[in-house]
Amino acid sequence: MANIQPYQIAIPQSEVDRLSRKLADARLPREDGEDGDDWERGAPVAPVRRIATYWCESFNWRAFEQELNELPHFEATISVEGFNPFQLHFIHQRSTASDAIPLLFVHGWPGSFLEATKILPALAKSDKDDGPSFHVIVPSLPNFGFSGRIDRSGFGLKQYAEALHQLMQGLGYEQYVSQGGDWGYFITRVISAMYPESLVATHLNIQAAMPPTSTSPLAYARFLLAHLLGLYGAEDKALLRRSEAFWRTGSAYSTVHRQRPSTIGIALDDSPVGLLAWIYEKLVAWTDDYPWTDEEVCRWVSIYWFSRAGPGASVVIYHEADKGEYVTRESPLTPGVKIGYSYFPKEIFGSPRFWNHRLGDVVFEGRHERGGHFAAWERPEDLVADLRAMFGKGGGAYGVVKQPTAEN
C-alpha cells in the first residue's frame, strides 16, 4: 500500500444535474389501486414515486456532501496480487485516548461507509468512565462508495480481506479488531483466517455459520442429534424458521446478483429510480420497523448513484464470493481469534448458537429486543454498548490489542 492522502467528496455539477434530469424524466408504472401498498410483491409504486419526487425536487446533494466532508476522509492506493492498483476510500476517525483500540468497520450491500457515521462519535470518545475508546477505520469496499472499480474478475473474499488488511497495516495498526454485518461478516471472518496474528478479535451483528460436517465428528454428531430429536431451543427454532422464510421468499435479489450481476448492473447504472426501488425495498424489509425518512433513503441511495465505480459494480461481490479459496458457503474456523455476537430479532437470517460457537473463541454475546439488519444505523447505542462490553474491563476481549499505534 502506498500514497495515503486526504480525500474530499466532490461530485461534478454535471453529474448532479444529470441525476435531476433522469429523475424528472422517469416513467413509473401506475399505482395498483387496492394493491398499491402490497410489500409482498416488492417495493410499492406510491412510496417509490414519493421518494423519487423528493430526490428530484427537495434533496440537496451539496448540503449532504458538505456534511460528509466534515468527516476525516482519506484514500490509499492498494495493490492486490493479480489486479491493477486501485484507490480505496476510507474514514479514519481517531480517538484522543492513548490506549484507543483500532476498529475496522466493514459494511455490506446495500450499505456503505455511511452506516458507521452514527457510531463514530461515541466510539471515539475518550471518557474512560464510558468504557474503551476506538480509532475507527471505515473503508468503502472496492466497487462501493468512493473506492475504485476492480477491473477484472476473480476479486473474491480473499482479495477483499487482503485489501483491508493491507490498509490497516499501512496505517500502522499491527493488531486490530473488527465489526461487521452482511458482507462485513464474511470479509472479517476471512481476515481472521488469513491474518489471525493481526485481526485478534471480531464482533459480528449477523450469524452465518454453516452446520457442522463429518470432518468434525463430535460437532456433526450433535448437529444430527439436534435435528433428529428436535433438541433446538425456542430461540434457535424461531431463528431457523426466519432464516428458512428469508431464503424462500426474500433472497431473489441475491440469486440475481450472484448469477447475473452484469445484467442487473446495467439497469442500476442507468436508472436512478430503479436503483432507488432495488435498495429501498431492502431498507424497509430488513429493518425492525425503522422509521425511514425520505431524506435518509435519498442519502443512502445517493452514495450508490454517485459512487466512483457506478452503482452496478457493487453487486459483483455476490458473483465473485462464490469462487476462490474462501467462499460464503463455508465458515473458516479461527480458534485463536476472539469472537463477539450481537443478536437482533429482525436480522434477516442467522445460525444456531452451537454452530456459531464452533467458529472460534466466543467471548461475548449480546441479545436485544429490537433491531434488524443495519444495527449501526438502527440501534447505534446498542451496538456501541456491546463493543464496549466486549472490549472493556471485565469483557472477554479486554486487552486483546497490544499497544496500538498509528502513523497516518
Side-chain angles (χ1 to χ4, degrees):
M1 188 185 78
N3 195 30
I4 297 175
Q5 298 290 338
Y7 179 81
Q8 186 172 53
I9 303 167
I11 302 303
Q13 186 59 42
S14 59
E15 288 301 308
V16 178
D17 295 340
R18 179 171 175 265
L19 171 61
S20 296
R21 290 195 303 271
K22 292 181 79 70
L23 288 169
D25 291 341
R27 182 181 67 177
L28 278 78
R30 66 177 179 84
E31 296 174 27
D32 296 326
E34 63 182 19
D35 294 327
D37 195 33
D38 184 5
W39 280 93
E40 186 177 347
R41 299 165 66 175
V45 176
V48 172
R49 186 189 304 277
R50 185 194 72 244
I51 298 170
T53 300
Y54 180 90
W55 200 8
C56 179
E57 299 178 358
S58 302
F59 179 68
N60 187 333
W61 167 259
R62 288 301 179 210
F64 179 42
E65 184 180 74
Q66 183 178 357
E67 182 180 324
L68 287 176
N69 279 328
E70 293 175 0
L71 297 168
H73 295 268
F74 300 86
E75 66 175 0
T77 304
I78 300 291
S79 297
V80 172
E81 184 178 359
F83 296 85
N84 290 330
F86 60 89
Q87 296 306 111
L88 187 74
H89 159 261
F90 62 99
I91 293 172
H92 188 189
Q93 179 69 68
R94 293 185 188 170
S95 171
T96 58
S98 60
D99 58 350
I101 302 166
L103 173 71
L104 173 67
F105 179 99
V106 185
H107 69 81
W109 185 94
S112 69
F113 71 89
L114 184 64
E115 287 181 75
T117 56
K118 285 188 178 182
I119 64 175
L120 283 176
L123 290 177
K125 285 179 64 175
S126 58
D127 186 349
K128 293 187 181 297
D129 291 338
D130 289 335
S133 298
F134 299 85
H135 301 304
V136 189
I137 300 87
V138 188
S140 292
L141 290 174
N143 284 336
F144 287 76
F146 302 113
S147 287
R149 185 184 185 96
I150 304 303
D151 58 0
R152 56 180 292 265
S153 62
F155 199 94
L157 294 178
K158 180 179 180 180
Q159 286 72 32
Y160 279 97
E162 182 181 341
L164 298 190
H165 175 68
Q166 190 179 137
L167 171 65
M168 297 300 286
Q169 297 286 283
L171 289 171
Y173 297 124
E174 295 183 4
Q175 288 190 324
Y176 56 94
V177 304
S178 68
Q179 201 291 314
D182 198 89
W183 283 113
Y185 169 93
F186 296 101
I187 292 169
T188 58
R189 293 295 305 140
V190 174
I191 299 175
S192 296
M194 293 175 64
Y195 310 104
E197 72 288 348
S198 294
L199 180 51
V200 291
T202 183
H203 177 272
L204 306 162
N205 59 276
I206 194 172
Q207 298 77 42
M210 295 295 106
T213 66
S214 57
T215 58
S216 303
L218 291 178
Y220 188 58
R222 184 182 177 191
F223 165 67
L224 291 177
L225 190 64
H227 273 275
L228 291 173
L229 301 181
L231 297 182
Y232 290 112
E235 183 179 346
D236 282 341
K237 288 179 181 178
L239 184 151
L240 289 170
R241 285 195 299 269
R242 188 169 75 247
S243 299
E244 190 276 332
F246 170 78
W247 293 114
R248 179 169 46 84
T249 65
S251 62
Y253 80 96
S254 178
T255 301
V256 172
H257 289 185
R258 188 173 66 253
Q259 296 182 355
R260 297 293 184 268
S262 295
T263 304
I264 187 62
I266 291 170
L268 299 179
D269 275 345
D270 183 65
S271 172
V273 175
L275 177 69
L276 166 62
W278 200 243
I279 289 179
Y280 176 58
E281 178 203 322
K282 305 311 177 193
L283 298 184
V284 174
W286 293 359
T287 50
D288 188 4
D289 295 323
Y290 180 80
W292 290 101
T293 66
D294 294 353
E295 174 72 17
E296 282 179 296
V297 174
C298 289
R299 289 181 172 210
W300 275 61
V301 179
S302 292
I303 296 293
Y304 276 80
W305 183 258
F306 290 125
S307 63
R308 184 181 292 192
S314 65
V315 305
V316 175
I317 188 173
Y318 289 79
H319 183 75
E320 298 297 343
D322 270 352
K323 305 175 180 179
E325 185 175 343
Y326 296 95
V327 293
T328 55
R329 60 182 175 272
E330 298 175 1
S331 297
L333 305 184
T334 55
V337 177
K338 297 185 182 299
I339 299 175
Y341 293 111
S342 288
Y343 297 88
F344 292 92
K346 293 300 180 67
E347 181 56 87
I348 55 178
F349 61 81
S351 46
R353 187 169 178 266
F354 83 82
W355 298 10
N356 301 333
H357 276 244
R358 294 182 57 251
L359 298 186
D361 182 13
V362 176
V363 299
F364 174 83
E365 290 179 290
R367 287 175 169 79
H368 302 280
E369 295 182 358
R370 297 292 304 275
H373 189 64
F374 305 104
W377 192 260
E378 291 180 76
R379 310 294 297 181
E381 297 88 355
D382 290 341
L383 191 63
V384 168
D386 283 359
L387 287 168
R388 285 187 167 148
M390 177 175 172
F391 293 103
K393 288 184 178 180
Y398 177 68
V400 69
V401 173
K402 308 301 182 186
Q403 300 179 344
T405 60
E407 298 175 357
N408 294 285

